[in-house]
Amino acid sequence: MKSILYPLALAALTALPALAQDVRPDTTGWFENPSKLTQTDGKVIYDALCAACHMPEGQGAVGAGMYPALAGNENLMAADYPIYVVTHGQKAMPPLGDLLDDAQVAAVVNYIRTSFGNDYAEDPATPESVAAAR
């Protein structure tokens, strides 16, 4: 019995890295300059930078830290607060102002304010409002 289990276990262990590679996102073209994200779509930016902590559906998480839910979050009612947090960071949230330009910050802020059941489309973030918050 041992002689059958050993090859099966070895095959399973050697297949794991290949499986892990299949689920990694394709990051081709995300970065032209390693210090800047090149994408401009709010959802794409969210998926690349935010979803790992705030979760894909904005539900937040508790684990090594507490990552607040963005879904149903009243702090997103006005654009100024999320603009400030995305740009400057807060507690465990890293500042992304050096990684994102004003239009990208506005795009991701508008995305989270109108996704995950949020309906805060009034008074959207603009590149000008982000520039003023820097």
Side-chain angles (χ1 to χ4, degrees):
M1 186 69 148
K2 277 186 179 177
S3 62
I4 294 173
L5 291 179
Y6 180 75
L8 289 175
L10 183 60
L13 288 174
T14 56
L16 286 177
L19 291 174
Q21 290 174 357
D22 291 341
V23 297
R24 294 182 80 187
D26 179 12
T27 58
T28 306
W30 279 9
F31 295 98
E32 287 175 8
N33 175 342
S35 65
K36 295 285 183 184
L37 186 71
T38 59
Q39 300 300 318
T40 58
D41 180 75
K43 180 180 179 355
V44 173
I45 295 168
Y46 180 85
D47 290 344
L49 299 177
C50 313
C53 295
H54 293 285
M55 298 291 108
E57 297 302 317
Q59 69 268 32
V62 176
M66 197 297 242
Y67 307 98
L70 300 174
N73 188 329
E74 292 182 359
N75 288 328
L76 303 177
M77 281 179 143
D80 291 342
Y81 178 74
I83 286 171
Y84 181 86
V85 174
V86 169
T87 305
H88 300 286
Q90 182 177 342
K91 298 182 183 176
M93 169 75 184
L96 301 176
D98 289 340
L99 182 63
L100 302 174
D101 65 27
D102 296 345
Q104 290 169 312
V105 171
V108 75
V109 166
N110 289 330
Y111 173 74
I112 65 173
R113 292 182 70 225
T114 59
S115 299
F116 319 122
N118 297 326
D119 187 20
Y120 306 128
E122 254 183 70
D123 192 27
T126 63
E128 294 78 20
S129 60
V130 175
R134 286 192 186 265

